[in-house]
Amino acid sequence: MALLKKTTILLLLAIPALALGKLPPPTQAQAQVAADKKAQAAAQADKDKQALLATMDALTARWRSRAATEGWQANAPVAVAAPMPALVQPNTQSSASGQPGGVMGAVAKAAPITSEKNGTAAPSADVKKAPSPPPSTPQKR
């Protein structure tokens, strides 16, 4: 029984050491296979994108042809020259919101600092005027 406990403890102590081990770097052949797979995946993604665009164009053409016979209003298609900048730019922020370069402007510096908590601003309309009365407790007889 003591041998089983010692073996179990040794195994439990060895598991984290095994998890911290490093894998060897990939060989030239493995790196080439990975690059080929990545290129194939990119080509397949481009092919799928083109197929999706063709299907969307066919569906749009079919809907527009039916719109005239069904009496639906069809506006002229809008040409999109390039993707919107918001869709291609990274969503990282380089400075504080609304502050160019992270520096407060003259208007912001001149604005008075008001706070309900500090008493430098009028209380909101939904603020209680007085504390709530304590709940009534039943009297014991």
Side-chain angles (χ1 to χ4, degrees):
M1 187 69 164
L3 181 62
L4 182 62
K5 283 185 180 180
K6 287 180 182 178
T7 307
T8 305
I9 291 172
L10 287 175
L11 284 175
L12 290 175
L13 291 174
I15 289 174
L18 293 174
L20 294 176
K22 283 189 170 182
L23 292 175
T27 62
Q28 290 284 342
Q30 290 172 333
Q32 183 63 36
V33 168
D36 290 344
K37 283 185 180 180
K38 186 175 181 181
Q40 285 177 347
Q44 183 63 37
D46 191 44
K47 183 179 173 184
D48 292 344
K49 180 180 175 183
Q50 295 301 324
L52 176 64
L53 290 174
T55 303
M56 289 169 56
D57 287 343
L59 181 65
T60 302
R62 188 174 71 218
W63 186 89
R64 287 189 175 283
S65 67
R66 281 190 55 205
T69 60
E70 298 286 336
W72 300 333
Q73 179 185 359
N75 297 325
V78 178
V80 179
M84 295 173 49
L87 300 177
V88 273
Q89 291 179 349
N91 60 352
T92 56
Q93 188 170 342
S94 61
S95 64
S97 295
Q99 308 298 329
V103 179
M104 286 177 53
V107 175
K109 287 179 182 177
I113 298 174
T114 58
S115 167
E116 288 182 41
K117 185 175 181 181
N118 292 336
T120 57
S124 300
D126 62 346
V127 173
K128 292 182 183 178
K129 304 298 182 210
S132 301
S136 60
T137 56
Q139 299 286 331
K140 290 187 180 179
R141 295 184 187 175

